[in-house]
Amino acid sequence: MHPAPPAFLFATGIENSYPTIHHGRTRVDEMERCRHYDLWRDDFSLVQELGLSFLRYGPPIHRTWLGHGRYDWDFADATFGELCRRDIVPIVDLCHFGVPDFVGDFQNPDFPHLFAEYARAFAQRFPWVQLHTPVNEMYICALFSARYGWWNEQLSTDRAFVTALKHIVRANVLAMRAILEVRRDAIFIQSESTEYFHAKCPGAIGPAEMRNQERFLSLDLNYGRRVDSGMYEYLGDNGMTREEYHFFLANSPLKRHCIMGNDYYVTNEHLVDEDASTSPSGEVFGYAVLTRHYHDRYALPVMHTETNMRDEPEGSAERWLWKQWANVLRVRNDGVPVVGFTWYSLTDQVDWVHALREDRGDVDSVGLFDLDRRIRPVGRAYKRLVEQWRDVLPAQSLCLQVPIVMPSHFDPEGLPEGYWAAQASRRAKR
């Protein structure tokens, strides 16, 4: 009998953003900038050195998906083969802020169906992979690409934002359906930014309320929840048809396959002025309060899927790790089923200090390891945290455990019913 899988999903991630800037002329490939293409074996060793079994990871879409029905699986075969050999569970990130050149950008109405074909092809090639994040941070991707004008289509209108958002979320929904056709016990962990907008003055209450409705749009559509009335009018005014809206409502049963992954950084809370402009507020409510907002709305298990802090001044990253973990424990003790936690990413990143808007090579010291793969103090602190807590949290409730199938346990003939019957039998003999 195989040992039980880890009961709590302690994870890190390998940063694989790849948006385009300069109107498509420059691809910002974080795997290349962080030297993962050369050091991927070392990076997987570092994951295990930290005592982690879960890794947010995905193949570079622009190097893998070459055209309609055309794929280059060489790098994915090598890396995912090694993850399987090491028994590291990937949470597979199939689309992280960019699309291949032949797709163009998120304004392309063909993207959702094309992406679903890619997701199906991936699932067929790697059937042992159970956990997926088809599209990472759907709201942020649409916002930065089509309202702020920073990435990809580099547009700055509400209509472009709604167009990008409906295509991105539809792609995520169709990808979930396609993956489930291949692996019926697949689990989808959304990684979405947890946001809040604070009114700076009385005249800002209206604009802040609108932004606080808007922050839920991607997950409302993804989970088939009826949007707030103001957002229904906003979507309709900016190009979403009733037919498109009802597509999302019709796919609400997919919600039962999902974990609501939410990301929280010190930049996730904002001040809103009466002209609707925003500026950073810093941490006001914090992760626990905002997670209650999202959990009350969707009633799903939660995983903290991203956080980090620059280690400036020295010790800042360790303090942020402790604060985020304290928030996870607080919200979990208050009854929210939090099933995992992630420091993102494994290594420092490049050019995220200015949101990948510029190609300057500036290192952002937010990793558990630096780019020379030397462990940072926060890396040592995270390793201790995992060692101390991984056997304590499961004791609180066996019902808060995700039905994970480890790569080494995968049996295409015995999943999911046979595997979970065997696990139940093992627990009964304890």
Side-chain angles (χ1 to χ4, degrees), residues 48-92:
Q48 293 185 306
E49 180 183 319
L50 294 169
L52 302 175
S53 298
F54 298 91
L55 179 68
R56 291 197 59 210
Y57 187 72
I61 197 171
H62 57 295
R63 294 186 175 207
T64 307
W65 185 19
L66 305 182
H68 182 60
R70 295 176 49 233
Y71 311 103
D72 180 350
W73 296 112
D74 287 351
F75 185 69
D77 284 345
T79 53
F80 279 86
E82 183 67 7
L83 289 172
C84 186
R85 187 189 72 79
R86 292 173 180 263
D87 216 20
I88 296 173
V89 179
I91 304 171
V92 178

Side-chain angles (χ1 to χ4, degrees), residues 33-322:
R33 294 178 179 205
C34 299
R35 300 167 57 213
H36 177 70
Y37 294 135
D38 299 322
L39 300 174
W40 56 268
R41 291 181 181 86
D42 297 333
D43 288 346
F44 295 163
S45 294
L46 297 180
V47 173
Q48 293 185 306
E49 180 183 319
L50 294 169
L52 302 175
S53 298
F54 298 91
L55 179 68
R56 291 197 59 210
Y57 187 72
I61 197 171
H62 57 295
R63 294 186 175 207
T64 307
W65 185 19
L66 305 182
H68 182 60
R70 295 176 49 233
Y71 311 103
D72 180 350
W73 296 112
D74 287 351
F75 185 69
D77 284 345
T79 53
F80 279 86
E82 183 67 7
L83 289 172
C84 186
R85 187 189 72 79
R86 292 173 180 263
D87 216 20
I88 296 173
V89 179
I91 304 171
V92 178
D93 185 341
L94 291 177
C95 180
H96 202 121
F97 297 146
V99 293
D101 290 339
F102 81 93
V103 173
D105 55 46
F106 295 107
Q107 301 296 302
N108 185 347
D110 295 329
F111 168 61
H113 290 283
L114 291 171
F115 181 70
E117 292 178 8
Y118 172 59
R120 180 182 289 105
F122 178 89
Q124 290 170 337
R125 193 166 188 93
F126 304 101
W128 58 271
V129 173
Q130 182 188 17
L131 307 183
H132 297 80
T133 302
V135 183
N136 173 74
E137 286 195 344
M138 296 177 282
Y139 172 68
I140 295 298
C141 186
L143 193 72
F144 286 13
S145 299
R147 181 184 284 160
Y148 292 171
W150 293 349
W151 301 337
N152 304 310
E153 52 262 53
Q154 291 187 245
L155 298 175
S156 303
T157 67
D158 285 332
R159 181 168 287 266
F161 168 72
V162 169
T163 300
L165 188 70
K166 69 183 182 183
H167 291 166
I168 288 167
V169 181
R170 189 182 185 98
N172 195 72
V173 169
L174 293 178
M176 290 193 290
R177 281 175 26 186
I179 291 166
L180 284 168
E181 290 171 6
V182 178
R183 173 118 191 209
R184 62 188 184 275
D185 69 329
I187 296 171
F188 304 102
I189 303 177
Q190 275 70 54
S191 178
E192 190 54 280
S193 184
T194 304
E195 304 276 324
Y196 195 82
F197 296 85
H198 303 275
K200 191 174 181 180
C201 60
I205 292 174
E209 288 180 347
M210 286 297 290
R211 294 301 296 270
N212 282 323
Q213 292 177 40
E214 181 189 281
R215 64 185 170 137
F216 294 124
L217 275 180
S218 62
L219 294 180
D220 281 353
L221 297 175
N222 188 68
Y223 296 140
R225 184 191 187 279
R226 295 184 182 276
V227 301
D228 296 337
S229 59
M231 286 299 100
Y232 184 76
E233 293 179 358
Y234 171 76
L235 293 173
D237 289 345
N238 288 286
M240 181 178 284
T241 66
R242 291 182 66 179
E243 181 183 12
E244 289 171 329
Y245 178 65
H246 283 279
F247 163 84
F248 296 109
L249 298 184
N251 281 281
S252 59
L254 288 171
K255 179 181 174 182
R256 63 175 176 261
H257 297 276
C258 295
I259 292 169
M260 190 199 73
N262 64 340
D263 307 343
Y264 184 79
Y265 296 94
V266 73
T267 54
N268 283 38
E269 298 185 53
H270 316 268
L271 287 175
V272 182
D273 219 325
E274 55 189 326
D275 63 356
S277 63
T278 63
S279 58
S281 70
E283 184 186 25
V284 179
F285 287 165
Y287 177 80
V289 171
L290 299 192
T291 296
R292 287 305 303 244
H293 292 180
Y294 283 75
H295 180 259
D296 288 349
R297 194 174 185 90
Y298 303 114
L300 283 171
V302 173
M303 180 175 179
H304 194 330
T305 39
E306 281 188 27
T307 197
N308 66 44
M309 172 67 73
R310 226 167 275 130
D311 201 25
E312 300 171 1
E314 186 175 341
S316 297
E318 289 180 82
R319 286 190 292 273
W320 184 257
L321 171 65
W322 173 85

